[in-house]
Amino acid sequence: MSNMTRNEAWELLKEYNKDKFHLKHGLTVEGVMKYFAKKLGYGNETEFWGIVGLLHDLDFERFPEEHCIKEQEIMRERGIDERIIHATASHGYNLTVDIKPEHEMEKVLYAVDELTGLIGAVAIMRPSKSVQDLELKSVKKKFKNAKFAAGCSREVIENGAEMLGWSLDDLIEQTILAMRSCEKDYEQEEI
């Protein structure tokens, strides 16, 4: 599906991102995207969905003012598949770019990007520091508190659920399950 291996994507991400927080976020979104690929019937595209998740914030650390714009340039210079470029850039829709999420995969990325940050922030406050025992109601409570993880846009999360035609509860519940499915994987990666 893609002209890029997972390893090449990971090396590219590390070239432009040194902050462990950003690398971990990339790994989290990669795992979540792979979960949704399987769940939504795109099992044969699992790696492709994962690569899109891994690379979605490629430019954010070094070029925050040109987020989702600079990464298109970086990827084109390297001859990366236009589908990866479109998909990663589309999560900045109406924020930094006017590239609309069209494919279901792009809508999932748009919906889960901010949400994984919010869920991760809720999990860190728990005694377990894990999503394994995290319930929907805990996330919903923090979702309603605008001061909690204020950098995670509730509007983007709500728009993402709407784009997918899912309820907010379904989106949060499924994303918690997705994060549970890959929590051990992204904690083991060398960063």
Side-chain angles (χ1 to χ4, degrees), residues 101-174:
E102 284 153 21
H103 186 283
E104 192 168 21
M105 177 257 294
E106 296 174 338
K107 294 174 183 176
V108 169
L109 175 64
Y110 180 88
V112 303
D113 177 31
E114 299 280 321
L115 183 53
T116 59
L118 181 74
I119 292 170
V122 178
I124 286 167
M125 298 189 66
R126 303 177 68 73
S128 67
K129 305 228 178 293
S130 166
V131 289
Q132 299 305 325
D133 58 355
L134 182 61
E135 298 297 331
L136 172 65
K137 62 180 187 301
S138 305
V139 177
K140 288 275 293 200
K141 195 173 159 191
K142 296 294 188 188
F143 186 92
K144 290 182 181 121
N145 175 0
K147 287 191 175 86
F148 179 82
C152 298
S153 168
R154 277 44 170 190
E155 191 185 349
V156 166
I157 296 166
E158 287 166 343
N159 289 346
E162 202 174 303
M163 255 182 221
L164 286 161
W166 302 352
S167 72
L168 183 61
D169 281 13
D170 274 351
L171 175 63
I172 295 171
E173 184 89 76
Q174 286 304 316

Side-chain angles (χ1 to χ4, degrees), residues 79-96:
I80 292 170
D81 189 327
E82 280 296 323
R83 287 173 61 224
I84 295 175
I85 297 170
H86 187 280
T88 52
S90 72
H91 88 280
Y93 179 61
N94 270 349
L95 303 164
T96 56

Side-chain angles (χ1 to χ4, degrees), residues 12-13 16-17 52-61 63 66-78 80-81 84-92 96-97 99 109:
L12 179 59
L13 184 68
Y16 283 89
N17 292 268
V52 167
L54 195 58
L55 291 179
H56 78 285
D57 276 349
L58 177 65
D59 59 6
F60 187 70
E61 187 176 308
F63 308 99
E66 297 175 86
H67 182 39
C68 295
I69 299 162
K70 191 74 179 171
E71 65 188 26
Q72 295 177 60
E73 196 181 297
I74 294 166
M75 290 187 204
R76 280 201 183 97
E77 279 168 8
R78 290 165 190 253
I80 292 170
D81 189 327
I84 295 175
I85 297 170
H86 187 280
T88 52
S90 72
H91 88 280
T96 56
V97 294
I99 299 166
L109 175 64

